[in-house]
Amino acid sequence: MNMRLILGVAFICRLILAFSPSYFHPDEHLQGPQEIAYGMFGWASQTPWEFTSEHPIRSFVPLWLLYGIPMRFFHKDSNPLHVLWTLRAVFAVLTWVLEDMAVERLAVTRNDKLRCLFFVSTSYATLTWQAHTFSNSLETILVLWFLVILFEAESSTSQPFMSPFDRYYDNFLLGMIVTLGIFNRPTFLAFISFPSLCLPNIWRKSYGSFFVFLFSLCLTTGLFIGIDTYLYNSDTWVIAPLNFALYNTSSNNLAEHGTHSRLQHLFTNLPTLLGPGLLMLKPNWHSLPVQTIAGGLLFLSLIPHQEARFLLPLVPLICMQMDLKQYASATVRKTLMILWLTFNLFCAIFLGLYHQSGVIPAQVHISELARPLTVIWWRTYTPPLWITGLPHDKVEFGALSDIRNDLDYVRELASKGAHTDASYDDSVDADKRDIALSANDTLIEIDLQGANTTILKEIVELCGEKEVLVMVPDAVKDQFFSIFNTDPVNEKGTKSTEKSASKEIIPPRVWRSSSFLSPDLLFQGPHFWSSPWGLSMYNVSGLNYSVTSEISSDTNE
């Protein structure tokens, strides 16, 4: 087995998936690049509550380090898609280099290194999640390198030859990693809880190392608090991790995000991330990776709100515990290997290429229409406003959500709508992504998420005679058409009422989609994808509708 070839192919696959318009979770935009793009370029942003509450729970420092530095190479007239692809490329390369280096240094023998790198590199969680703009991706890297420093510090072979300077340097770096990890995601403490128990034994050999660690920890913590306080323009000190902890001590707050069984991580999220890999586990119970796995699972399971991505830092560590050699039968080993590769290939394609991948191209198309509109999104993920590249004061946004269900504000936006007499310039260069609006006109986007048809109909009615577009997954288009007591579109994908059909067509690059698991999930594939479902844009101006574009392989207009 040529490991260089396998690792090279895995990295190429990671880059290909990174440049796909797939969309995993709204937080990959809302809690990261969107806020930095707003701060640097003034692009539209629906700032989430984490940044706007009286006691903000997100630190800006990790965000500026992760997204601000790459964005320095762009400007406000840049294409937002180029910014997104750059950020994903940076994440893919960083996780590939730093994660693989850490895994290689945590493994002992050459065979262990190759085995661990193989399972880590072929995991779909590595190929997909780690290349998207999540704080969990940074958390994974920080957890791994925290373990590397501990592992090499307590190693019986390296310790005698470690100079005082090396000890002090490692402990200074350790303090910085702990601070960055906590301010990035306070759950970092759960992962390092058990491995940290070996620190007193390490510091006992060099008391100076402890004071260097403490100095680094206090210095970076004070620096982070000062920067956050300045950026939030607060009169009091902003300690984001403390606010995060206090927020999560309230059961009412957690209930707003959705509560799960305490066993959700163990019996649902881990199998979702690792699949048949769990059958290949042969853990080294006394190792630092296993201690990290135990601490992470234990403490994260105590939190009622549990998402699979919260366990991403555990994926490479669990992959390191996989070993087919524990099975004597060659048939069993071959079967498990086939299951592992098939599972990860399917999940990588499914998640990396198709998941919600119609939202971003459709949002780009909306920004290119160069006129004021009201756009309603129904049964899709929240559209990331920063992808439009429009100025913040030219976009208004309202959403219904389990966390902040502001129906009154959504009604107000729908009533306001876009002016029917608004002028726009047909000569506007769409590549500049600048909308030609009059001083009082804005693009209005309303995210109804999973609202029922009664609310959808009410919002459409409130829009009146104004120009309104509705983004609807084909999986639920029958419910959409039922609002108007009419039949679905015909085979050609065009059906007009009294009003004439819109001339705007989504570019051919927005292909046919699939949503075969759930009507609330949107998946998009290439033009030859033979699914009956897609993401369509409908013009419902004046309560009459026409199909603006049905995204399908047989629609070439």
Side-chain angles (χ1 to χ4, degrees):
M1 184 166 56
N2 190 328
M3 281 301 300
R4 288 187 177 180
L5 177 61
I6 292 175
L7 297 179
V9 170
F11 176 65
I12 293 174
C13 291
R14 191 182 305 193
L15 282 179
I16 292 174
L17 296 176
F19 291 124
S20 163
S22 59
Y23 180 11
F24 297 170
H25 192 285
D27 286 350
E28 67 179 282
H29 296 284
L30 302 185
Q31 293 184 1
Q34 183 164 260
E35 284 306 300
I36 302 303
Y38 167 64
M40 295 184 66
F41 310 135
W43 289 348
S45 169
Q46 63 267 45
T47 303
W49 64 271
E50 291 96 332
F51 298 94
T52 59
S53 64
E54 184 179 354
H55 304 287
I57 68 172
R58 295 292 176 189
S59 172
F60 272 113
V61 179
L63 303 185
W64 281 100
L65 292 175
L66 274 179
Y67 313 116
I69 294 176
M71 285 186 182
R72 286 292 180 185
F73 296 94
F74 297 91
H75 50 80
K76 67 177 182 178
D77 294 325
S78 297
N79 189 325
L81 278 182
H82 296 167
V83 179
L84 178 62
W85 301 149
T86 299
L87 292 176
R88 288 191 179 178
V90 168
F91 269 66
V93 172
L94 280 179
T95 54
W96 174 57
V97 173
L98 297 179
E99 185 174 317
D100 285 9
M101 284 179 60
V103 168
E104 191 267 343
R105 291 174 69 166
L106 286 171
V108 180
T109 67
R110 183 177 183 276
N111 288 336
D112 285 340
K113 297 178 189 294
L114 295 177
R115 172 180 56 80
C116 294
L117 287 174
F118 170 79
F119 285 115
V120 171
S121 298
T122 54
S123 167
Y124 87 90
T126 301
L127 296 173
T128 57
W129 285 97
Q130 299 287 22
H132 280 236
T133 51
F134 288 104
S135 58
N136 309 89
S137 301
L138 175 60
E139 185 178 36
T140 301
I141 295 174
L142 295 175
V143 168
L144 286 172
W145 280 94
F146 179 88
L147 296 180
V148 168
I149 294 176
L150 289 191
F151 176 74
E152 295 184 350
E154 68 174 359
S155 172
S156 58
T157 57
S158 64
Q159 189 72 19
F161 303 99
M162 186 176 289
S163 66
F165 175 80
D166 291 333
R167 294 177 193 267
Y168 296 152
Y169 174 79
D170 283 353
N171 278 272
F172 189 86
L173 185 60
L174 198 66
M176 294 177 62
I177 289 176
V178 171
T179 300
L180 181 57
I182 294 173
F183 276 79
N184 175 58
R185 292 188 64 84
T187 52
F188 179 80
L189 288 172
F191 297 110
I192 68 171
S193 56
F194 288 169
S196 297
L197 296 178
C198 70
L199 281 173
N201 184 52
I202 295 175
W203 289 330
R204 191 176 297 115
K205 299 175 182 179
S206 174
Y207 291 109
S209 299
F210 167 72
F211 291 107
V212 170
F213 168 81
L214 192 62
F215 172 76
S216 173
L217 184 69
C218 294
L219 177 65
T220 50
T221 298
L223 185 63
F224 279 37
I225 293 174
I227 293 175
D228 281 336
T229 302
Y230 172 77
L231 293 177
Y232 278 110
N233 193 26
S234 175
D235 296 330
T236 59
W237 295 110
V238 176
I239 309 177
L242 177 60
N243 295 337
F244 178 93
L246 294 175
Y247 179 87
N248 283 278
T249 57
S250 170
S251 57
N252 292 332
N253 291 338
L254 295 175
E256 292 182 344
H257 301 269
T259 56
H260 306 91
S261 165
R262 304 292 188 188
L263 301 178
Q264 174 83 7
H265 279 321
L266 187 61
F267 291 108
T268 302
N269 294 339
L270 274 184
T272 298
L273 291 171
L274 298 164
L278 296 176
L279 301 175
M280 296 184 281
L281 293 180
K282 186 182 179 182
N284 178 1
W285 297 104
H286 301 290
S287 65
L288 288 175
V290 171
Q291 294 175 27
T292 306
I293 296 169
L297 277 177
L298 174 62
F299 292 110
L300 291 184
S301 295
L302 298 178
I303 302 174
H305 182 64
Q306 301 180 15
E307 298 179 29
R309 65 188 176 99
F310 296 167
L311 299 183
L312 283 181
L314 298 184
V315 170
L317 301 176
I318 296 176
C319 287
M320 293 178 65
Q321 311 307 310
M322 297 178 187
D323 191 355
L324 287 172
K325 292 182 180 179
Q326 61 182 301
Y327 295 101
S329 171
T331 303
V332 173
R333 294 197 298 269
K334 183 177 179 180
T335 302
L336 287 175
M337 179 59 72
I338 293 174
L339 287 175
W340 169 257
L341 294 177
T342 303
F343 168 79
N344 286 287
L345 179 62
F346 171 79
C347 290
I349 294 174
F350 173 73
L351 190 65
L353 292 179
Y354 302 134
H355 190 268
Q356 292 278 332
S357 56
V359 176
I360 291 177
Q363 185 75 314
V364 170
H365 175 68
I366 290 170
S367 72
E368 293 173 344
L369 295 179
R371 67 174 181 269
L373 296 165
T374 295
V375 182
I376 299 173
W377 297 78
W378 188 52
R379 300 294 180 91
T380 70
Y381 273 4
T382 299
L385 297 187
W386 75 286
I387 294 297
T388 66
L390 301 175
H392 184 72
D393 60 350
K394 292 298 182 181
V395 180
E396 292 189 67
F397 179 80
L400 298 180
S401 69
D402 293 334
I403 301 175
R404 299 290 183 267
N405 194 330
D406 197 348
L407 182 57
D408 290 336
Y409 181 65
V410 168
R411 288 170 174 156
E412 179 184 340
L413 279 182
S415 300
K416 179 179 179 181
H419 298 297
T420 55
D421 59 348
S423 60
Y424 66 96
D425 185 1
D426 284 312
S427 65
V428 170
D429 185 356
D431 291 336
K432 294 181 179 180
R433 300 184 186 281
D434 192 11
I435 199 163
L437 301 173
S438 62
N440 297 321
D441 291 329
T442 58
L443 169 67
I444 294 177
E445 297 208 39
I446 297 174
D447 178 20
L448 294 184
Q449 300 193 5
N452 57 41
T453 54
T454 302
I455 294 179
L456 174 60
K457 182 177 181 180
E458 177 189 358
I459 299 303
V460 170
E461 289 175 343
L462 287 172
C463 292
E465 293 292 330
K466 296 146 190 167
E467 185 170 12
V468 182
L469 303 177
V470 182
M471 309 301 300
V472 182
D474 286 355
V476 293
K477 67 180 180 182
D478 287 344
Q479 299 178 44
F480 172 72
F481 283 110
S482 70
I483 298 176
F484 305 99
N485 297 317
T486 185
D487 296 326
V489 296
N490 56 30
E491 293 181 357
K492 293 183 178 180
T494 58
K495 180 178 177 65
S496 300
T497 58
E498 299 175 1
K499 286 187 176 287
S500 60
S502 170
K503 300 301 182 183
E504 302 296 344
I505 304 296
I506 294 182
R509 65 177 177 274
V510 186
W511 306 291
R512 177 178 285 279
S513 308
S514 168
S515 179
F516 55 84
L517 287 189
S518 167
D520 293 334
L521 296 178
L522 176 66
F523 307 91
Q524 178 180 316
H527 65 280
F528 53 82
W529 187 254
S530 59
S531 163
W533 293 312
L535 175 64
S536 298
M537 184 166 68
Y538 300 93
N539 190 318
V540 295
S541 304
L543 291 184
N544 289 312
Y545 78 94
S546 59
V547 177
T548 302
S549 175
E550 171 115 5
I551 306 165
S552 61
S553 57
D554 55 2
T555 301
N556 298 317
E557 290 90 330

